Amino acid sequence: MLHYDLHCHSTRSDGVLSPTDVVRRAASRGVDVLGLTDHDELAGLDEAREAAQEVGIVVVPGSELSVTWEGETIHVLGLGVDPRDSPLATGLAGIRNGRDERARRIGEALEVAGIPDAFEGALTYVTSERLISRTHFARYLVESGHVRDMKDAFKRYLTAGKPGYVPHAWASLSQAVTWIRGAGGQAVIAHPGRYKLTASGLRSLVAEFRDLGGAGLEVVSPSHTSAQYTEFAALARAHGLRASCGSDFHGPGESHLDFGDLPPMPAGVEPVWSDW
Ligand code: AMP
Ligand code: MN
Ligand code: MN
Ligand code: MN
């Protein structure tokens, strides 16, 4: 049986390993089919594909798109997209564009909260001039001793209602699904257990997503408990959606699950790769 991991990040967004090192690590830990899904970005895929040929695994070209749906940030994975598709590339460039201005404002907000120079500090962790993320602020806050760890950085400073949080309007759900489908890919709602939605809010997101042409739900994710694997498998089935799995790996020591450690998909779902 092939081992699939369809969600991870490299230095082209907020991961700590280069696309080559991501692929090598995944291969050495038993992954056969790896989706590289940098946030709002496709730039690591050529390098990842070359590395994949060297180590004999398959890289699925992907991206994790930032979306705003009813005021909440939702992540939508595009799997199997054509990296040369121009509407997708343009759409992603548009999503990335807002990040610089937002990062400056996060820096200002943290300054008001008593943490000076956080923007400059975050920049020292940025590994692609095309993309700055809250993760880079979190790494700076940890290293500068303002917080204990990444989780603490988000909990105390970087999430809604906290002093360094700056609300942001990303792409719409419909734009994201349209770009992904237009590029020949499958749209998958990432880590549905992470959103601050009620059960009925989540059902309405999933129903709208399915009606827009969405293909699947990420059922197995380190963001989920094993009870949630069962819950989201049922949710996918109920809406005629397929199921995906991914480690959401960002770097050694930073992620809950390393490559190769994903538990199996629950029984009774159709995997997103069933016709690959
Ligand atoms: P951004 O797209 O700039 O808003 O940053 C979102 C990223 O922050 C996610 O992709 C995660 O990598 C990271 N993140 C969000 N919440 C947490 C958390 N509680 N602990 C660690 N990382 C987080
Ligand atoms: Mn991330
Ligand atoms: Mn995500
Ligand atoms: Mn991710």
Side-chain angles (χ1 to χ4, degrees):
M1 228 175 63
L2 293 178
H3 188 106
Y4 290 81
D5 185 325
L6 300 176
H7 184 166
C8 71
H9 300 275
S10 77
T11 46
R12 296 309 184 110
S13 62
D14 60 351
V16 302
L17 301 182
S18 69
T20 299
D21 288 340
V22 164
V23 168
R24 288 184 179 155
R25 186 180 186 93
S28 75
R29 297 184 57 91
V31 174
D32 301 298
V33 182
L34 178 71
L36 176 62
T37 54
D38 277 312
H39 296 283
D40 311 322
E41 179 60 288
L42 303 164
L45 294 171
D46 284 345
E47 184 186 321
R49 278 203 147 157
E50 263 177 49
Q53 279 178 354
E54 278 166 31
V55 295
I57 69 167
V58 173
V59 162
V60 176
S63 182
E64 182 176 18
L65 280 65
S66 309
V67 160
T68 302
W69 182 80
E70 301 203 344
E72 187 73 15
T73 297
I74 304 293
H75 286 169
V76 177
L77 299 166
L79 299 176
V81 293
D82 174 2
R84 282 163 302 279
D85 182 80
S86 145
L88 174 63
T90 308
L92 294 181
I95 306 181
R96 288 195 307 271
N97 272 341
R99 283 182 173 273
D100 289 335
E101 174 61 21
R102 169 194 184 232
R104 280 201 182 79
R105 291 177 57 206
I106 293 175
E108 288 161 14
L110 288 171
E111 183 123 30
V112 171
I115 301 176
D117 303 324
F119 176 67
E120 292 72 18
L123 277 183
T124 67
Y125 291 88
V126 164
T127 47
S128 160
E129 78 281 359
R130 287 156 61 106
L131 194 139
I132 182 162
S133 146
R134 281 184 293 161
T135 310
H136 302 115
F137 281 91
R139 290 189 184 126
Y140 171 71
L141 291 175
V142 175
E143 284 304 310
S144 58
H146 290 284
V147 296
R148 247 180 309 125
D149 53 27
M150 297 288 284
K151 206 175 154 197
D152 200 31
F154 280 91
K155 202 171 125 203
R156 287 174 56 195
Y157 289 106
L158 298 173
T159 43
K162 300 302 157 65
Y165 183 73
V166 172
H168 192 74
W170 305 105
S172 71
L173 186 64
S174 144
Q175 283 175 317
V177 175
T178 303
W179 292 331
I180 292 165
R181 282 165 56 96
Q186 288 167 287
V188 171
I189 295 180
H191 43 63
R194 264 177 66 166
Y195 308 123
K196 283 193 212 76
L197 296 172
T198 60
S200 80
L202 181 59
R203 279 197 303 275
S204 108
L205 167 68
V206 170
E208 185 175 330
F209 175 73
R210 192 261 329 271
D211 291 346
L212 288 167
L217 287 190
E218 189 173 57
V219 168
V220 175
S221 160
S223 299
H224 297 163
T225 62
S226 45
Q228 283 176 315
Y229 299 160
T230 313
E231 178 189 339
F232 296 136
L235 188 63
R237 263 200 315 272
H239 288 86
L241 291 168
R242 296 184 183 184
S244 190
C245 61
S247 63
D248 206 359
F249 180 82
H250 282 73
E254 242 187 48
S255 295
H256 301 292
L257 275 186
D258 207 327
F259 292 123
D261 294 340
L262 274 182
M265 200 89 98
V269 290
E270 184 174 359
V272 72
W273 57 81
S274 62
D275 54 12
W276 289 2

